[in-house]
Amino acid sequence: MEAFARTMKDGDRLGPRTVGGMDFEEVRREHGVVVFRQGEALASPYGYAWSPQGDPAPIREDMEWSEDHINHYFEHLEGAFYSWQGRR
């Protein structure tokens, strides 16, 4: 996943694909943060984030990817990877 994330440019938005043996509905890169969206549960998207510059929460604070307001929550996993959940 990291090798794939490094190939993306800011503003890239890719549809469904398999990366690192995992299926994702969408992969996006904004301000250096790549979010791998796996799906939605109870109208809340979830997946993983790759953020080599550290905690993605402050970086993503003022960014919106949809017309609906989503609060983003990140939990550090390992290295530059975080679990991600968006809550409406």
Side-chain angles (χ1 to χ4, degrees), residues 1-57:
M1 286 174 56
E2 182 173 352
F4 182 85
R6 289 183 183 279
T7 67
M8 295 186 69
K9 297 180 181 126
D10 265 7
D12 282 355
R13 181 179 183 170
L14 309 173
R17 66 197 55 245
T18 300
V19 179
M22 299 175 74
D23 293 329
F24 298 101
E25 292 181 356
E26 179 183 55
V27 182
R28 291 185 75 150
R29 182 171 184 148
E30 299 284 343
H31 299 284
V33 177
V34 177
V35 172
F36 296 86
R37 179 180 169 174
Q38 283 187 297
E40 272 195 30
L42 302 174
S44 295
Y46 64 90
Y48 298 94
W50 177 76
S51 180
Q53 60 271 49
D55 184 358

Side-chain angles (χ1 to χ4, degrees), residues 54-74:
D55 184 358
I59 298 165
R60 299 206 22 82
E61 191 170 52
D62 295 324
M63 294 170 44
E64 280 302 326
W65 283 358
S66 70
E67 293 176 11
D68 297 332
H69 178 73
I70 297 175
N71 293 318
H72 300 273
Y73 298 91
F74 300 93

